[in-house]
Amino acid sequence: MQYINIANEGVKSLSPYQAGKPIEELERELGITNIIKLASNENPFGFPESAKQAIINQLDQLTRYPDANGFELKAAVSKKFGVQPNQITLGNGSNDLLELLAHTFASECDEIIYSQYAFIVYPLVTKAINAVAREIPAKNWGHDLNAFEAAINDKTKLIFIANPNNPTGNFLTEEEIDAFLEKVPSHIIIVLDEAYTEFTKTEERVDSFGLLQKYPNLIISRSLSKAYGLAGLRIGYAVSNPEIADLLNRVRQPFNCNSLALASAVAVMNDDAFVEKVAENNRLEMQRYEAFCQQYGLEYIPSKGNFITIDFKQVAQPIYDALLREGVIVRPIAGYGMPNHLRISIGLPAENDRLFEALVKVLNLK
Ligand SMILES: Cc1ncc(COP(=O)(O)O)c(C=O)c1O
């Protein structure tokens, strides 16, 4: 019996998600220590003490189910961003929300629009529900919103936009997004995935919650895995109009967010100083990456995220392998159709120094 034959049609064309290599795996494989991982856009500062304390305080409660409605976290999000708790849906990471959105609004034969080189979970959730993927060719590695508009038809149900985008770091301004939203009919759901928004400068950040007032078909999705440092706990949130939030909350698993994630998320939500420190390190270190690339003539895609993607003008897998032998894990993105690029997450200054040294050695840069 070949079970693939009885799988849902869309699932047959799926490949498993390729995550960044865990440090322990490389330790086992090469028998080396002192490894640094700049592969999964995680937070190099970890998470703040306040979150650790919140987790410790929850430990004795783990025998109970978590709060299915995430009252405290919704209250914290609501207070921080001036939205109402009934506009919020919580997710087991924002990936959970992206999947939830596809399940809630699209089904077989409906069309879902997203960009070439956009976050890989969009094609994954589209295929998993057997919907039709309308992958729009990228413009300078980013979203071509005019081409998105041209692709809209009677079957379009959902549009995914990542801003900034992963793995390219491209960014759309508020004017560009607003102009696009204006043209999309209100029965089509637009998901603005802002997993990396905290890394953009305050003055250029899109006022996406402001746009919600104008566009009832807009959904903002956010992650606590990046700037907030809670990737291992899996927590994210979506903000939308209350009717959409109600629909999402019907489809979601009742206890999709665990107690430790909920408690620690409340703590980091209230820790602006931590997030600001993280973003500031990212800004300064991004400038060092850009200067490094310019010094050695390496072409990179300007990025507003916490990662930079470099074009090595040759198949990058051997460079990735050589970096592993130097104890540095970065991210190959051939699975995105970018075999000559590697994506490097911005680390702490000392980690970035290690990466620079390793690249100079591996590429024999002069
Ligand atoms: C653009 C984008 N959206 C969403 C996510 C999902 O993050 P999480 O599920 O950890 O919140 C990621 C993770 O890499 C991402 O790059």
Side-chain angles (χ1 to χ4, degrees):
M1 178 70 197
Q2 294 255 290
Y3 287 100
I4 191 163
N5 294 333
I6 60 165
N8 165 343
E9 262 327 293
V11 172
K12 291 179 184 166
S13 63
L14 283 180
S15 324
Y17 178 79
Q18 299 286 328
K21 196 178 194 58
I23 289 178
E24 299 73 22
E25 189 178 299
L26 186 60
E27 276 174 357
R28 280 196 301 275
E29 284 174 4
L30 297 186
I32 56 174
T33 52
N34 194 21
I35 292 166
I36 59 162
K37 184 180 175 205
L38 301 174
S40 300
N41 302 342
E42 292 150 342
N43 192 323
F45 289 92
F47 51 78
E49 197 53 38
S50 55
K52 191 171 179 182
Q53 204 48 55
I55 290 170
I56 292 168
N57 293 346
Q58 270 298 313
L59 290 178
D60 288 341
Q61 299 299 322
L62 288 183
T63 195
R64 307 245 173 245
Y65 281 101
D67 173 6
N69 290 317
F71 177 85
E72 304 257 0
L73 180 53
K74 285 185 186 174
V77 173
S78 165
K79 184 161 162 243
K80 191 172 166 90
F81 299 113
V83 296
Q84 296 304 312
N86 67 356
Q87 293 181 264
I88 302 168
T89 312
L90 301 179
N92 191 323
S94 57
N95 273 338
D96 185 31
L97 296 162
L98 301 173
E99 191 183 13
L100 198 55
L101 280 155
H103 277 294
T104 305
F105 290 106
S107 41
E108 203 162 336
C109 303
D110 288 336
E111 296 193 4
I112 299 184
I113 295 178
Y114 53 82
S115 180
Q116 181 188 21
Y117 311 128
F119 184 44
I120 209 129
V121 165
Y122 311 154
L124 201 151
V125 298
T126 302
K127 289 176 189 169
I129 59 165
N130 231 346
V132 177
R134 294 295 305 275
E135 184 177 297
I136 308 302
K139 197 166 135 195
N140 299 327
W141 305 105
H143 294 63
D144 180 349
L145 293 183
N146 288 332
F148 270 49
E149 188 197 346
I152 291 174
N153 63 31
D154 292 348
K155 294 189 175 151
T156 310
K157 273 293 180 70
L158 208 58
I159 299 175
F160 284 115
I161 298 175
N163 199 43
N165 183 43
N166 169 30
T168 62
N170 291 77
F171 181 70
L172 294 159
T173 64
E174 183 165 325
E175 290 68 36
E176 289 171 306
I177 292 179
D178 195 356
F180 174 67
L181 294 178
E182 193 116 286
K183 295 179 199 141
V184 179
S186 60
H187 63 270
I188 297 174
I189 299 291
I190 302 143
V191 183
L192 189 58
D193 174 351
E194 295 192 321
Y196 300 95
T197 190
E198 294 83 5
F199 297 104
T200 57
K201 290 193 192 120
T202 322
E203 62 273 18
E204 68 191 1
R205 196 167 297 163
V206 175
D207 175 18
S208 46
F209 298 132
L211 291 173
L212 271 183
Q213 318 277 339
K214 248 167 110 181
Y215 303 106
N217 52 337
L218 179 63
I219 298 171
I220 318 293
S221 111
R222 297 265 180 99
S223 172
L224 279 91
S225 303
K226 316 294 177 186
Y228 293 91
L230 299 180
L233 282 158
R234 316 301 304 125
I235 187 84
Y237 61 95
V239 183
S240 62
N241 87 52
E243 192 187 340
I244 288 180
D246 174 55
L247 290 169
L248 296 175
N249 276 301
R250 291 184 204 189
V251 180
R252 123 189 120 74
Q253 299 284 317
F255 302 106
N256 62 336
C257 302
N258 71 73
S259 321
L260 303 182
L262 291 170
S264 54
V266 172
V268 277
M269 270 288 153
N270 291 323
D271 201 335
D272 289 342
F274 175 76
V275 177
E276 190 35 55
K277 175 180 77 175
V278 170
E280 182 61 11
N281 174 72
N282 195 68
R283 271 191 286 279
L284 295 173
E285 293 301 299
M286 181 68 86
Q287 287 169 9
R288 291 183 64 218
Y289 270 89
E290 290 176 347
F292 174 84
C293 289
Q294 284 155 14
Q295 179 183 350
Y296 290 107
L298 296 170
E299 193 173 307
Y300 61 91
I301 308 174
S303 167
K304 301 279 185 195
N306 63 345
F307 54 87
I308 187 164
T309 296
I310 300 179
D311 183 355
F312 290 94
K313 308 284 179 192
Q314 56 178 300
V315 174
Q317 185 68 32
I319 301 169
Y320 167 74
D321 291 334
L323 288 173
L324 288 183
R325 291 192 289 276
E326 297 300 315
V328 181
I329 309 174
V330 297
R331 187 67 160 269
I333 47 173
Y336 278 92
M338 300 173 72
N340 291 358
H341 291 77
L342 291 175
R343 191 194 68 192
I344 301 166
S345 305
I346 309 297
L348 297 172
E351 294 175 318
N352 301 327
D353 287 341
R354 278 273 307 277
L355 180 276
F356 296 148
E357 277 165 34
L359 262 188
V360 166
K361 182 172 169 196
V362 161
L363 295 173
N364 199 16
L365 297 172
K366 299 271 186 306

